[in-house]
Amino acid sequence: MRNNSFSEETTTILTGDIIEPSPARRSLGMLLSTRSGSMMLQEAMLQAGNDHCRALLAQTAMEHTGALAVMAGRLSSIAPHGRQYYQAVLSAYAEKSIEQIRRW
């Protein structure tokens, strides 16, 4: 008995330009997926929160100092004998506020 099966190998030749793979780009997502990246994000968020609190503290202190200064001026015109006390209260408040802001 004769074996009539045969196989032909077909070879495909590909032509074209060779494109080099681009180096892996570091994305923010990849950076944050690492432990150090996650720590950096947490640190940045903490610093942003602290900055926001400092700004809010300073803003509030200025608003209150301004309101107290206006009140001291009005009271001084109504009751001029208390002028030195109004100024002392205003100064004490402002100094304490400044200390708090510097400590923060």
Side-chain angles (χ1 to χ4, degrees), residues 54 57-59 61-62 96-104:
R54 272 193 311 272
L57 181 64
Q59 177 186 2
M62 288 191 292
K96 259 316 192 189
S97 295
I98 291 168
E99 286 176 23
Q100 285 182 319
I101 293 167
R102 284 189 176 139
R103 267 197 325 256
W104 183 271

Side-chain angles (χ1 to χ4, degrees), residues 25-100:
R25 292 187 179 151
R26 294 185 181 186
S27 68
L28 182 60
M30 285 178 55
L31 179 65
L32 296 179
S33 68
T34 65
R35 183 171 175 83
S36 61
S38 178
M39 294 294 283
M40 285 176 23
L41 179 62
Q42 288 176 354
E43 180 66 24
M45 289 173 64
L46 183 62
Q47 287 177 2
N50 281 339
D51 183 61
H52 182 75
C53 289
R54 272 193 311 272
L56 188 58
L57 181 64
Q59 177 186 2
T60 303
M62 288 191 292
E63 288 172 354
H64 291 179
T65 301
L68 290 171
V70 169
M71 184 180 286
R74 286 184 185 158
L75 289 174
S76 292
S77 66
I78 295 170
H81 295 300
R83 179 173 291 143
Q84 68 183 12
Y85 302 110
Y86 309 142
Q87 289 301 318
V89 169
L90 177 62
S91 294
Y93 176 82
E95 288 170 14
K96 259 316 192 189
S97 295
I98 291 168
E99 286 176 23
Q100 285 182 319

